[in-house]
Amino acid sequence: KQTTAAAPPSCDWYRDTEWNVGIWGTYAFTGTDNDRTGIGTTFTGDPGTYDRFLGGDHAWGGGIDAKYFFHKYFGLGVEGFGLDAHGSHYVIEDFGRTAFFKDSDEHAVGAGLATLTLRYPIGCSRFAPYVWAGGGGIFGGHNERPIYVGGLAERIAHDEESRWMGQFGGGLEVRITPTIGWINDFSWNVVDGKNNNFGMAR
């Protein structure tokens, strides 16, 4: 009687010398309580712990990344993303007297980073948990500072800022086919300056 041995399970889900290109949507939240104090302390003291870059509690966006895995466990890549940030800012106007009010502040925030990814495919399965870290720059943040004329605060400047940032996180990839996969992950982004850090889920 002749029998045929069962074929071994495929281990081609993750390979050496592999390019990965990802397109994703993202949700970001700030690392502060968005505790903005009143107009008086904006001029005279600490204006509060509100986020100085995104400007509000939440932001939605998307991005793209490309990685080259010179070994199936290690990859180098680049990443870029954009966020639709929505916060608030103070406006001072002089209609014969000083008047001020809080206004909506919508602005786009973008970033570019270089990354190192470590992934661990589980056996010959479709699943591969991974961690990564990277660094680069982020731009488009909004900050406020009082402008003094003759020793008196005359107006508030709304500066657009660019800063250095670092990113680290972890997630899980599931291969639908050997060339198409689905990623889910979370990262923490450390932005230079006070009250700028934020989390991001993709």
Side-chain angles (χ1 to χ4, degrees):
K1 181 178 179 181
Q2 185 178 5
T3 60
T4 302
S10 172
C11 289
D12 293 334
W13 300 109
Y14 300 91
R15 300 171 299 276
D16 299 335
T17 64
E18 176 182 80
W19 278 99
N20 280 8
V21 177
I23 300 174
W24 32 270
T26 187
Y27 164 74
F29 62 93
T30 61
T32 71
D33 295 329
N34 200 29
D35 182 20
R36 179 190 288 274
T37 55
I39 186 69
T41 51
T42 298
F43 286 110
T44 62
D46 185 356
T49 59
Y50 71 95
D51 181 84
R52 304 297 203 268
F53 213 86
L54 296 182
D57 286 336
H58 313 284
W60 295 91
I64 186 170
D65 66 86
K67 303 183 185 73
Y68 179 70
F69 284 87
F70 49 91
H71 189 284
K72 70 177 183 178
Y73 300 110
F74 309 101
L76 296 174
V78 291
E79 170 190 322
F81 64 84
L83 297 171
D84 180 20
H86 186 189
S88 62
H89 62 206
Y90 284 111
V91 177
I92 293 182
E93 295 181 351
D94 191 352
F95 300 102
R97 61 181 179 85
T98 299
F100 63 87
F101 58 92
K102 188 183 291 187
D103 196 12
S104 177
D105 178 26
E106 295 189 19
H107 57 286
V109 172
L113 304 95
T115 60
L116 169 64
T117 300
L118 308 178
R119 72 180 178 188
Y120 187 75
I122 301 174
C124 293
S125 74
R126 301 169 184 258
F127 301 94
Y130 60 91
V131 295
W132 83 96
I138 188 168
F139 53 89
H142 280 193
N143 206 346
E144 296 180 345
R145 61 186 176 91
I147 301 298
Y148 292 90
V149 177
L152 298 176
E154 183 179 80
R155 61 187 178 86
I156 294 178
H158 305 288
D159 297 331
E160 185 168 305
E161 297 183 334
S162 298
R163 294 183 178 271
W164 295 104
M165 69 171 291
Q167 181 187 76
F168 58 92
L172 177 69
E173 180 175 2
V174 181
R175 287 290 166 95
I176 301 170
T177 74
T179 56
I180 299 175
W182 181 269
I183 64 167
N184 293 274
D185 58 40
F186 175 80
S187 65
W188 189 251
N189 299 269
V190 180
V191 181
D192 178 44
K194 183 179 181 181
N195 298 320
N196 289 332
N197 301 341
F198 62 94
M200 189 167 71
R202 302 189 295 181

